[in-house]
Amino acid sequence: MPRGPLMIIGGAEDKVRKPTILKHFVALSGGRDARIAVIPTASSLGREVVDVYDALFTKFGAARVDAVRPETRDEAHDPALVKALDEATGVFMTGGNQLKLSAVVGGTPVGEAILRAHERGAVVAGTSAGASIQSSHMVAFGVGGSTPKQRMTQVAAGLGLVPTTVIDQHFDQRNRYGRLLMIVAQSPQLLGIGVDEDTCGLVEDVDGDAVMRVLGKGAVTVFDGARMVSNAHEAKRSSPLLASGVVFHVMPEGSVFNLTTRQLVPQQTDVDPDDAVELAEASRDLRQLARDIAAADAAPAAIRRRLKLRRPPTRPSDDTPTPQGEEA
Amino acid sequence: MPRGPLMIIGGAEDKVRKPTILKHFVALSGGRDARIAVIPTASSLGREVVDVYDALFTKFGAARVDAVRPETRDEAHDPALVKALDEATGVFMTGGNQLKLSAVVGGTPVGEAILRAHERGAVVAGTSAGASIQSSHMVAFGVGGSTPKQRMTQVAAGLGLVPTTVIDQHFDQRNRYGRLLMIVAQSPQLLGIGVDEDTCGLVEDVDGDAVMRVLGKGAVTVFDGARMVSNAHEAKRSSPLLASGVVFHVMPEGSVFNLTTRQLVPQQTDVDPDDAVELAEASRDLRQLARDIAAADAAPAAIRRRLKLRRPPTRPSDDTPTPQGEEA
């Protein structure tokens, strides 16, 4: 069985007007058969947060919503919580403080049960803090700003659902280019993933590759430092870092990116309806031409005459000079 | 005669505590021989701004400071202003509204005189608005935010001192990643240059290439869209843009970047003094070893014995097991 989809949500996902992302989560989790476990540990408002998501997921058709709310590492050993996760078709980790979430569940039976859910094909989703913790190397906390500076952020261990990555959220809204770049400059093997608010990177297993599709209102930004040059090992205090040669990808809804090969997966572009009509007409003309050629009736003059008969001129002919001396 | 240096300053350059950039401008302009023309047209506080820079440049040793302050295109035809520019060894354009500056001087005798100053080897510097106008394609105005979105900014014509570029300023402080990226996504042939506050890209002609060195407290960011993929031609309204495969370079003080070849110019890294001492010692030992070998006195045992005599052990020998059975 392939691993389940991961939903990396950048925080502040729309819950009322156009709740595309949360509806998608319920649908992927099985719709009317969905059994969802909500983990609100990151939040300081645990119970209220569960109530909100319970109401939403139920409204979107989920069969059952359970709260899995360990507040200590001791509670994260509770077999009842593990059981709820083991029976879930979808796991949802709320926003809040990702360092609290990782410090409570990392390496505990609850943490293991989340990994197990992913392995058996369940959906694992998380917003804000719940997005960050999915990476192997987690942004613990840090300051905003576009320019990467030494010591502007701290890394802790995430759950590693998306290996060899560091995930940041509220990316555009809180201006987190700098801190994500700082981490990539120090650890160029990690792919940096920044997710905007009300936006989701949906990661699925495609022939063994982790392939991400973007949903929602903003963009997902990827920093690839594979060929970068940096001075991170010698930059002093809080000085700006050299980060040269980073390849990056800012991707709005509909974009697809292969996290394993680190490449954009080209998508078909939208077709302009007028273009389509024009192309269809041209295509008919070409087919007629091909038939004429096949019928050995292909003298240029004959073809031109025929086309003239078929097409009404769009402008007076004295506007468009016609080549002379080619008629024969 | 080679073209003069350009100083692209990201705004809010230090004027009091550590005015490195402004001092550098006066020194490049000739120090005690410097004749500086200050153009405050972008600013709504023209006279006061001139007073500030006059006091500073005089303090840093400039021989003479002239105000060149056209407020209309008509005034930008004033021969007295053109003369001041033609006699200047340094031109300084202040901050303010770059669209006012470009709309007043672009294509006028004053504008031409600025280009002429650069051609004859004078320094042309500008901060904030005065930085933006140096590019060929100028950010006229726009909104902040990390994610590039359609229509978030407007482009107007700059003076083109730095060709095939778009320059933005207050880059980190006002979170202008998005708007600079939007422009590069629409015009991938332009190199996007974002300069932080109290930071300067000093561009000089080196064998025909435009080579930029970074000075100051922040960083200069360069976006190279030469190989990018974008959906800019079909993105609707204010939606986020696809900008995939952009190569970028964030460069702190001391970094050097060739704008013509679009490549970082490697610099020597700082040497740790302890490393240097250790390396020098190792080097002396190696030279001794080479002499021993030359003297055919190179049996391993003999060399080892000699090294032992010369080097006092740094830790008790029973801590470090010595290989046995190799002596012969």
Side-chain angles (χ1 to χ4, degrees):
Chain A
M1 182 140 189
R3 290 170 180 173
L6 298 167
M7 294 181 72
I8 308 167
I9 307 165
E13 70 284 354
D14 197 330
K15 297 174 189 68
V16 183
R17 289 190 316 121
K18 214 182 154 196
T20 325
I21 296 169
L22 296 177
K23 274 185 176 170
H24 202 79
F25 167 67
V26 175
L28 275 179
S29 300
R32 303 243 152 248
D33 297 323
R35 294 187 60 160
I36 292 169
V38 174
I39 305 178
T41 302
S43 175
S44 55
L45 301 164
R47 182 176 299 262
E48 294 85 340
V49 171
V50 172
D51 287 348
V52 167
Y53 284 108
D54 189 344
L56 286 168
F57 295 151
T58 304
K59 181 173 147 199
F60 301 148
R64 183 171 149 183
V65 180
D66 293 313
V68 173
R69 190 183 165 204
E71 287 288 301
T72 61
R73 290 185 70 81
D74 195 42
E75 288 172 18
H77 286 71
D78 182 346
L81 300 184
V82 172
K83 182 161 178 283
L85 288 167
D86 281 343
E87 293 173 351
T89 60
V91 176
F92 191 90
M93 297 179 283
T94 72
N97 180 329
Q98 60 261 38
L99 200 52
K100 181 184 168 202
L101 178 58
S102 68
V104 168
V105 308
T108 67
V110 162
E112 296 301 317
I114 298 169
L115 299 177
R116 221 161 34 234
H118 173 56
E119 291 296 330
R120 77 169 171 268
V123 188
V124 178
T127 185
S128 190
S132 289
I133 199 175
Q134 296 182 48
S135 52
S136 55
H137 296 70
M138 184 184 83
V139 179
F141 50 83
V143 297
S146 302
T147 296
K149 291 177 185 143
Q150 196 76 304
R151 295 183 174 76
M152 82 193 289
T153 185
Q154 302 283 324
V155 171
L159 285 177
L161 291 160
V162 193
T164 333
T165 58
V166 50
I167 293 173
D168 210 345
Q169 14 75 7
H170 300 281
F171 194 63
D172 177 25
Q173 291 75 12
R174 300 191 188 169
N175 191 12
R176 289 174 165 173
Y177 257 77
R179 74 183 208 182
L180 188 59
L181 260 175
M182 187 212 87
I183 295 173
V184 172
Q186 293 186 354
S187 309
Q189 68 270 49
L190 300 181
L191 201 64
I193 302 175
V195 186
D196 289 352
E197 291 183 355
D198 196 19
T199 307
C200 169
L202 169 63
V203 180
E204 293 179 286
D205 186 321
V206 177
D207 303 328
D209 284 5
V211 174
M212 178 177 71
R213 176 178 290 275
V214 180
L215 304 175
K217 216 172 74 183
V220 176
T221 299
V222 167
F223 292 140
D224 177 1
R227 301 294 295 269
M228 80 182 292
V229 175
S230 177
N231 67 344
H233 63 288
E234 55 187 11
K236 299 286 188 282
R237 294 179 300 275
S238 63
S239 61
L241 292 179
L242 174 68
S244 170
V246 180
V247 176
F248 80 109
H249 311 268
V250 184
M251 296 171 287
E253 182 162 63
S255 307
V256 178
F257 189 84
N258 187 322
L259 297 172
T260 307
T261 63
R262 299 185 167 199
Q263 286 185 314
L264 187 76
V265 180
Q267 301 299 299
Q268 283 204 317
T269 56
D270 297 340
V271 173
D272 182 323
D274 291 345
D275 280 1
V277 169
E278 204 177 311
L279 195 69
E281 272 169 14
S283 175
R284 273 193 301 275
D285 287 351
L286 279 173
R287 274 198 301 274
Q288 182 59 45
L289 180 61
R291 276 194 293 272
D292 291 345
I293 291 170
D297 181 17
I303 290 168
R304 215 175 290 124
R305 234 175 287 124
R306 182 176 308 191
L307 284 174
K308 213 179 257 172
L309 285 175
R310 205 160 54 221
R311 280 203 201 137
T314 52
R315 38 175 81 199
S317 59
D318 48 355
D319 260 1
T320 47
T322 48
Q324 299 297 326
E326 271 187 51
E327 285 289 314
Chain B
M1 182 139 188
R3 289 171 180 174
L6 299 168
M7 293 180 73
I8 307 166
I9 307 165
E13 69 284 355
D14 197 332
K15 296 173 188 68
V16 184
R17 290 190 315 118
K18 214 181 154 198
T20 326
I21 295 169
L22 297 178
K23 275 186 176 170
H24 203 79
F25 167 67
V26 174
L28 277 179
S29 300
R32 302 243 153 250
D33 297 323
R35 294 185 60 161
I36 291 169
V38 175
I39 304 180
T41 302
S43 175
S44 55
L45 300 164
R47 182 177 297 263
E48 295 84 341
V49 170
V50 172
D51 287 349
V52 167
Y53 284 108
D54 189 344
L56 287 168
F57 295 152
T58 304
K59 181 174 148 200
F60 301 148
R64 184 172 148 183
V65 180
D66 292 313
V68 173
R69 192 186 163 201
E71 287 288 301
T72 61
R73 289 183 72 80
D74 195 43
E75 288 173 17
H77 287 69
D78 183 345
L81 300 185
V82 172
K83 183 162 178 280
L85 287 167
D86 281 344
E87 293 174 351
T89 61
V91 176
F92 190 92
M93 296 180 282
T94 71
N97 180 328
Q98 58 262 35
L99 200 52
K100 181 184 168 201
L101 178 58
S102 69
V104 168
V105 307
T108 67
V110 161
E112 295 301 318
I114 298 169
L115 299 177
R116 222 161 32 235
H118 173 56
E119 290 297 330
R120 76 169 173 270
V123 188
V124 177
T127 185
S128 190
S132 289
I133 200 177
Q134 296 181 53
S135 52
S136 53
H137 296 69
M138 186 183 82
V139 180
F141 50 83
V143 298
S146 302
T147 294
K149 290 176 187 146
Q150 195 77 306
R151 295 182 173 77
M152 80 192 291
T153 184
Q154 300 284 323
V155 171
L159 286 176
L161 291 159
V162 193
T164 332
T165 58
V166 50
I167 293 172
D168 210 347
Q169 13 77 7
H170 301 279
F171 194 64
D172 177 25
Q173 291 76 12
R174 299 189 189 170
N175 190 13
R176 289 175 164 174
Y177 257 77
R179 73 184 208 180
L180 189 58
L181 261 176
M182 188 214 84
I183 296 173
V184 172
Q186 293 188 354
S187 310
Q189 69 269 51
L190 301 181
L191 201 64
I193 302 176
V195 186
D196 289 353
E197 291 183 356
D198 197 18
T199 306
C200 169
L202 169 62
V203 180
E204 293 179 287
D205 184 322
V206 177
D207 303 329
D209 283 5
V211 175
M212 177 177 73
R213 178 180 290 276
V214 180
L215 304 174
K217 218 173 71 182
V220 176
T221 299
V222 167
F223 292 139
D224 178 1
R227 302 295 294 272
M228 80 182 291
V229 175
S230 177
N231 68 343
H233 64 289
E234 55 185 11
K236 299 285 187 282
R237 294 180 297 277
S238 63
S239 63
L241 292 179
L242 173 69
S244 170
V246 180
V247 177
F248 80 111
H249 310 268
V250 185
M251 296 172 286
E253 184 162 62
S255 306
V256 178
F257 189 84
N258 187 322
L259 297 173
T260 307
T261 63
R262 300 187 165 196
Q263 286 186 312
L264 187 76
V265 180
Q267 302 299 298
Q268 284 204 318
T269 55
D270 297 340
V271 173
D272 181 321
D274 291 344
D275 279 0
V277 169
E278 202 175 312
L279 195 67
E281 272 169 16
S283 174
R284 274 193 301 275
D285 287 352
L286 278 175
R287 277 197 299 274
Q288 182 59 45
L289 180 59
R291 278 194 292 273
D292 291 346
I293 291 170
D297 182 20
I303 291 168
R304 215 174 289 126
R305 233 174 287 125
R306 185 177 305 190
L307 286 173
K308 212 180 254 171
L309 285 173
R310 210 160 52 222
R311 280 202 200 137
T314 54
R315 41 173 78 197
S317 59
D318 47 355
D319 262 1
T320 45
T322 47
Q324 300 295 326
E326 269 186 50
E327 285 292 312

